[in-house]
Amino acid sequence: LDPTMGVLIHSFGMEVTKRNNIHYLGPGILVFAVGNVLQLLDLETMQQSYLQGLDGGGIGAVTVHPTRKYFVVAEKGINPNIYVYEYPSLNLYKIMKGGTERGYSAVQ
C-alpha cells in the first residue's frame, strides 16, 4: 500500500500459518505480522498501531529481543532486509542487509 494513498486504520486478521508470528512485546502489547504490515495490539484498550513493511514484498518473520527493548522485522522479496526497531519508541535502530536472496521465514 502506497502511504500517499491512505492510512491503515484497522487490520482484520493475523497470519496463523506463519510460525512464531505472535510475540509479547511489553506490558499488554502483542506484535504480529499481517501481510506487509506489522501490527501492535494493546490488549487493555484494543487499540492497534501499525508499521508498514519497507521492502514491499511482505513480512517473513518477526521476533522480540529478550530485553523487550528491540524487535525485528525480517522481510520477503528480492534481497530483503532485516529491520531492528527500538521499543517503545518504534524508531528504526538498524538495517541488516545481504542475509538472503528471497525472504526470511524465521528469526531468533
Side-chain angles (χ1 to χ4, degrees):
L1 177 66
D2 184 343
T4 62
M5 293 178 64
V7 176
L8 179 65
I9 56 172
H10 186 77
S11 171
F12 290 99
M14 180 183 83
E15 294 181 49
V16 296
T17 58
K18 188 179 290 191
R19 289 178 174 240
N20 302 314
N21 189 35
I22 189 164
H23 295 275
Y24 181 78
L25 186 55
I29 305 293
L30 297 179
V31 61
F32 52 92
V34 182
N36 194 39
V37 174
L38 184 80
Q39 183 171 323
L40 293 95
L41 175 64
D42 185 321
L43 295 174
E44 274 191 37
T45 65
M46 297 309 288
Q47 181 177 351
Q48 300 173 10
S49 54
Y50 309 97
L51 286 175
Q52 188 80 24
L54 299 177
D55 291 342
I59 295 174
V62 177
T63 196
V64 175
H65 189 270
T67 65
R68 304 212 187 310
K69 292 181 181 179
Y70 303 96
F71 63 91
V72 170
V73 177
E75 303 254 345
K76 297 187 294 188
I78 298 173
N79 298 314
N81 297 315
I82 295 177
Y83 298 94
V84 180
Y85 290 89
E86 296 174 326
Y87 182 77
S89 71
L90 306 182
N91 290 328
L92 182 59
Y93 176 72
K94 187 172 191 109
I95 302 172
M96 294 185 272
K97 300 179 179 189
T100 190
E101 294 177 357
R102 293 289 175 180
Y104 295 93
S105 62
V107 285
Q108 289 187 352

